[in-house]
Amino acid sequence: MTTFRRMTAYFLLAAGWFLFCSCSDPLAKDDTLRPTRLYPDNKGVDIAWRFKISERGFSYDNWRPLEMGSPAVTEERVLIGGSTGILYCLNRRDGKLVWKKDLVDEIFSQPVVKGDRVYIGTPSGVFYALRLFDGTEIWNYNLRTEILAPPTLADGRIFLVGMNDKIVALNEEDGAFLWEDREDFYGVMSIRGHSAVTVSGNRAVVGFTSGVLAAFDVETGKRLWKSYLGSSERFNDVDATPVIEDGVIYTASFDGAVYAVDLATGRSIWRTDRKNASPLTLLDGRLYLGASEHGLYCLSKESGVVLWHVDLYEQFWDQKEGVLGVPIPYQYRYLVFSASGSGLYFVDTQDQALVARFTPGTGIGSTPAVHGQMVYALANDGYLYALALARKGSPFTPYKAYPGQPKADVREKKTIGSGTSSDNWLSL
């Protein structure tokens, strides 16, 4: 009798384990997966696949606070680098590895893809032109200072900015040197980061650590004007990449304000005080930016007046959001932006409301990239996520349809990519 009871108990345990495994989400079977913390208001975010770019496991002993590498996305590929110094090229649709190249140094700059080439800089100062097909090197140029900002390509030229406030123009085809300039900085402290160059007509505009915004002639490198925007006792850095429209430059200093500046003369048009402002996005005639620990702001581009504000602190008072990234336009009415202390936020610009929050558990310090209905973001634990905002309760269906929007292709769930995917969205 005892033996029979013992066998019955073993059978029930085995049956229970079988039912548990068969009913579990496929992602839960992967020992390398850190559970994604989804909150009640976050049911509209679906993960298509993820890929681990860090070669070391996550732990609280060796975790680095931020992964600053941002992805570049084409129709077929995703390019991403991180703290390990390896540049990965992945299949955009399923996250499978196409090739990887060891650039030795950490990668904080966002790659830029043009035609069959990939351009990327490193903190060691070496800037690379690689083949998109296989990652082989075409040429390189040593700027001899950290390159954290992405390069700017315009009219056959590449504009680079180093952390020593040096701007350099190179020939896009062969990397030949064209011209350079430098802005002196005499301060003690600065923010680790830098504005990229924005080109408009014959002007290349860039912000500097000293609080200076300057314009250069794209052909000769002649400085056309410079305007001092810094107004803080600590960090005057103009790290927000300039946004230019209709002859007006919009930018921000880290510890000061948001500015509108005349492109022709460099004269200030208006300023709005806003501490810890993120880089700006101009969408449908309005300016959008994040401010650490406060949330998303919408400003009038004509006057700088705050039109509305989504306060993250009031909604998540127990969560330290950290540094907020630049808002990226998504679908036709949303903005998505990162928070280094939590994750990604999706805000509806028409309803002026937060609609979804994706929190991988470690925060997202890098800028996400958008392609169609997909968002690609590198979390601080070293995972690159491909995800989308979908209608609640109906995976892989657009969150809100609009005229002309293609229908999502609902496919059978299966494991793809690096073995940690749950869904396949091949229609996007």
Side-chain angles (χ1 to χ4, degrees):
M1 189 68 178
T2 302
T3 303
F4 176 79
R5 289 179 178 175
R6 189 175 301 166
M7 292 179 63
T8 302
Y10 288 156
F11 175 81
L12 291 175
L13 285 172
W17 176 252
F18 174 80
L19 289 174
F20 173 80
C21 291
S22 62
C23 295
S24 297
D25 186 274
L27 283 175
K29 299 176 184 178
D30 183 358
D31 292 337
T32 66
L33 177 69
R34 285 182 53 78
T36 299
R37 294 188 290 133
L38 300 179
Y39 290 76
D41 60 341
N42 194 34
K43 296 178 182 177
V45 175
D46 283 331
I47 302 172
W49 55 262
R50 66 176 197 154
F51 185 91
K52 182 73 169 177
I53 73 164
S54 175
E55 293 188 343
R56 61 181 181 177
F58 177 94
S59 76
Y60 287 98
D61 294 326
N62 64 11
W63 174 54
R64 296 186 181 185
L66 296 176
E67 281 281 358
M68 298 304 296
S70 295
V73 185
T74 71
E75 186 63 31
E76 300 295 335
R77 300 287 181 259
V78 178
L79 284 300
I80 183 67
S83 60
T84 59
I86 297 176
L87 179 66
Y88 291 90
C89 179
L90 309 175
N91 185 298
R92 184 182 70 83
R93 301 177 187 277
D94 58 19
K96 291 182 179 179
L97 178 67
V98 178
W99 54 261
K100 63 180 180 179
K101 185 175 181 63
D102 191 350
L103 300 183
V104 182
D105 206 353
E106 294 176 297
I107 299 173
F108 297 113
S109 175
Q110 182 180 30
V112 170
V113 179
K114 182 179 179 182
D116 60 353
R117 293 187 178 187
V118 181
Y119 300 95
I120 187 168
T122 65
S124 65
V126 180
F127 180 80
Y128 295 92
L130 309 173
R131 297 192 187 281
L132 178 59
F133 176 73
D134 58 7
T136 57
E137 183 178 318
I138 302 173
W139 55 260
N140 72 70
Y141 179 86
N142 194 344
L143 196 64
R144 302 186 186 282
T145 183
E146 282 189 304
I147 303 174
L148 303 183
T152 300
L153 279 63
D155 301 324
R157 300 176 181 86
I158 299 177
F159 298 93
L160 306 177
V161 183
M163 280 299 292
N164 63 351
D165 283 327
K166 180 167 67 173
I167 175 175
V168 173
L170 306 176
N171 183 285
E172 181 183 324
E173 180 62 29
D174 57 10
F177 173 84
L178 298 177
W179 57 262
E180 73 173 42
D181 201 323
R182 182 175 176 180
E183 177 68 23
D184 292 325
F185 173 62
Y186 300 104
V188 178
M189 295 187 300
S190 66
I191 299 299
R192 190 167 187 258
H194 212 288
S195 158
V197 175
T198 300
V199 174
S200 179
N202 70 330
R203 283 170 163 76
V205 183
V206 65
F208 292 107
T209 306
S210 60
V212 165
L213 181 73
F216 301 86
D217 185 285
V218 296
E219 294 185 3
T220 65
K222 177 183 177 181
R223 187 176 296 217
L224 303 176
W225 53 258
K226 76 174 184 177
S227 178
Y228 185 74
L229 303 182
S231 58
S232 170
E233 296 181 357
R234 296 192 306 159
F235 303 112
N236 289 315
D237 311 53
V238 180
D239 287 339
T241 297
V243 176
I244 303 176
E245 184 176 87
D246 299 329
V248 179
I249 305 167
Y250 304 96
T251 189
S253 61
F254 180 81
D255 211 10
V258 181
Y259 304 89
V261 177
D262 183 76
L263 175 62
T265 65
R267 294 177 180 174
S268 178
I269 299 173
W270 56 255
R271 62 167 286 169
T272 296
D273 291 337
R274 191 62 54 202
K275 295 290 186 180
N276 304 332
S278 74
L280 310 173
T281 289
L282 183 57
L283 181 65
D284 297 331
R286 295 182 174 184
L287 292 168
Y288 296 91
L289 68 144
S292 297
E293 306 297 344
H294 295 289
L296 181 76
Y297 287 85
C298 175
L299 276 60
S300 165
K301 76 169 188 175
E302 287 78 19
S303 63
V305 171
V306 176
L307 301 177
W308 54 268
H309 168 222
V310 175
D311 195 328
L312 301 183
Y313 184 79
E314 288 184 355
Q315 299 191 53
F316 306 105
W317 59 270
D318 59 342
Q319 172 71 51
K320 295 295 184 182
E321 304 301 334
V323 178
L324 302 186
V326 55
I328 306 295
Y330 175 65
Q331 295 190 31
Y332 79 111
R333 61 185 292 172
Y334 305 104
L335 292 170
V336 57
F337 58 94
S338 62
S340 63
S342 54
L344 288 182
Y345 287 93
F346 294 81
V347 171
D348 188 326
T349 61
Q350 293 187 15
D351 292 342
Q352 303 172 15
L354 178 68
V355 295
R357 184 189 194 205
F358 170 67
T359 53
T362 59
I364 297 177
S366 63
T367 301
V370 170
H371 189 287
Q373 295 179 17
M374 299 298 294
V375 178
Y376 303 85
L378 176 62
N380 291 332
D381 62 358
Y383 275 105
L384 175 69
Y385 289 90
L387 49 88
L389 189 62
R391 184 179 296 116
K392 296 182 179 182
S394 180
F396 302 110
T397 302
Y399 189 82
K400 287 187 178 180
Y402 62 95
Q405 177 174 328
K407 294 182 179 180
D409 184 11
V410 180
R411 305 269 178 144
E412 180 182 358
K413 290 189 176 184
K414 60 181 180 180
T415 301
I416 54 177
S418 60
T420 58
S421 311
S422 61
D423 302 282
N424 191 4
W425 198 340
L426 297 177
S427 65
L428 299 182

